Amino acid sequence: MTRVPTYTLYGELQRAHVPDSLHVESIAERSRLHGWEIKPHRHDALVQLLCLRSGTGEAVFEAQRHPFVAPCVIYVPALTVHGFRFSSDIDGVVVTVAEGQLDRLPADAPELAARLQAPHCLCWPHRSAVGFAQVDQAVAVLTAEAHGFAVGRRTAIASAWALALVHLARAVADAQRRAQGPAARSLQHAQRFRALLEQSFRTERSLAFYAGQLGITPTQLNRVCRQVFGTSALGALHRRLVLEAQRDLAYSLLSVKEIALSLGFSEAAYFTRFFARQTGSAPSDFRAAARRELARRPAGLSSPAPR
């Protein structure tokens, strides 16, 4: 059986050390010397991140082949047998970092390192896609700092590398969620939408804002909400506003006008019409009925509903 060669950098068996535990070069710089093909090999204690802005090719991890079309990000952990074939018009960079740099990732994000234990080949339909653009921007900063001599260079390099890995791990998580199937993805989008509502329901936000935060279109957001909540995204927002209004009317001493303003309504009259349309009763009538109900409850059962 042919032994898989182990390199520091491809083709450099005797290279003693990568300066600053970092090496950055263009993909073409080395692959051109080898006929645009990097044969299967591995790195003993080095991690590589390839950020490909244009071109096509194929990545090989162990025995699995992954054709790719840029924009694309490829991640290779230490000791992973890997190889590549690139088209001659390839445009991108490869960042090689000592494996120990992964130990410096934030301790409060253990899931980050977990997602970087396996190799990944992630492609996007266009270069401006959020996931790729974020990794690409971090790699661009890292490249500029690696080739420069500015004050704080090492700190900037470490920060840019960590940011690139964060965005990569997030992209991996998104890809894994997409692979789980429509039902699982819809549930996850719905859960995230509900969490966003909890943060922002008092502030007037457009559906485009929420959809953008989730990385989907407003049409997709409406579809998700109908599947999970049985109503549109706007309907889900209105339900949350009504729930908070009902809590304030039942348990607080705020006036109707004060409640309206706290929920983002410009005037009490508009809030009153909205509340009546959603519940079938005016705010003042709901408050009176809620107070009567609370007065009839046994002692100890009239505490406010949890927020």
Side-chain angles (χ1 to χ4, degrees):
M1 182 173 62
T2 303
R3 181 175 180 270
V4 176
T6 299
Y7 296 119
T8 47
L9 296 178
Y10 183 76
E12 298 184 12
L13 290 168
Q14 303 304 317
R15 189 180 180 95
H17 183 66
V18 180
D20 296 329
S21 300
L22 171 79
H23 182 83
V24 183
E25 66 181 20
S26 71
I27 301 293
E29 186 175 342
R30 190 170 301 265
S31 59
R32 183 188 293 113
L33 303 176
H34 300 279
W36 304 103
E37 181 177 5
I38 305 298
K39 296 184 181 298
H41 65 288
R42 62 187 175 189
H43 305 290
D44 185 20
L46 298 175
V47 173
Q48 289 191 314
L49 179 67
L50 290 74
C51 188
L52 309 172
R53 301 181 179 105
S54 63
T56 61
E58 181 182 69
V60 178
F61 303 138
E62 305 296 341
Q64 296 184 339
R65 297 182 178 275
H66 301 269
F68 65 79
V69 177
C72 185
V73 174
I74 299 173
Y75 175 78
V76 186
L79 295 178
T80 300
V81 177
H82 63 285
F84 305 104
R85 286 191 300 106
F86 301 109
S87 61
S88 59
D89 63 342
I90 198 74
D91 175 30
V93 297
V94 54
V95 180
T96 304
V97 177
E99 186 181 25
Q101 295 295 318
L102 291 176
D103 298 334
R104 301 180 185 180
L105 292 175
D108 62 348
E111 73 281 2
L112 188 67
R115 289 181 181 136
L116 301 177
Q117 297 301 309
H120 300 288
C121 181
L122 300 175
C123 297
W124 287 263
H126 50 85
R127 186 170 173 177
S128 62
V130 174
F132 176 79
Q134 291 174 325
V135 176
D136 187 34
Q137 184 177 20
V139 169
V141 171
L142 191 153
T143 301
E145 293 291 341
H147 294 156
F149 301 95
V151 174
R153 172 176 174 271
R154 288 178 179 272
T155 300
I157 287 174
S159 299
W161 173 243
L163 191 58
L165 293 184
V166 167
H167 290 310
L168 171 63
R170 289 175 178 175
V172 169
D174 288 341
Q176 291 172 342
R177 281 193 292 268
R178 289 194 298 270
Q180 290 176 341
R185 291 199 300 272
S186 293
L187 180 58
Q188 288 165 349
H189 285 319
Q191 290 170 336
R192 292 179 60 200
F193 176 55
R194 186 165 59 184
L196 286 171
L197 281 183
E198 287 300 316
Q199 298 172 9
S200 307
F201 72 89
R202 291 182 183 275
T203 305
E204 187 174 351
R205 299 284 194 182
S206 67
L207 294 185
F209 164 79
Y210 289 109
Q213 292 294 303
L214 297 174
I216 59 179
T217 67
T219 299
Q220 289 173 311
L221 177 58
N222 273 316
R223 186 182 305 120
V224 163
C225 288
R226 291 188 187 282
Q227 289 174 350
V228 179
F229 302 135
T231 185
S232 65
L234 185 60
L237 173 58
H238 287 172
R239 284 181 181 177
R240 185 63 185 89
L241 286 170
V242 167
L243 174 60
E244 198 67 19
Q246 290 173 328
R247 288 171 171 170
D248 287 341
L249 288 166
Y251 300 113
S252 80
L253 297 177
L254 296 173
S255 68
V256 171
K257 181 178 180 180
E258 289 171 329
I259 293 172
L261 293 177
S262 74
L263 293 176
F265 290 86
S266 58
E267 56 183 37
Y270 177 33
F271 166 70
T272 297
R273 291 193 298 271
F274 165 80
F275 188 88
R277 189 166 58 248
Q278 296 294 319
T279 67
S281 65
S284 57
D285 293 338
F286 177 88
R287 167 169 272 173
R291 296 283 171 83
R292 288 194 298 270
E293 174 64 24
L294 290 173
R296 287 196 297 267
R297 289 184 184 180
L301 296 181
S302 59
S303 57
R307 291 180 180 267

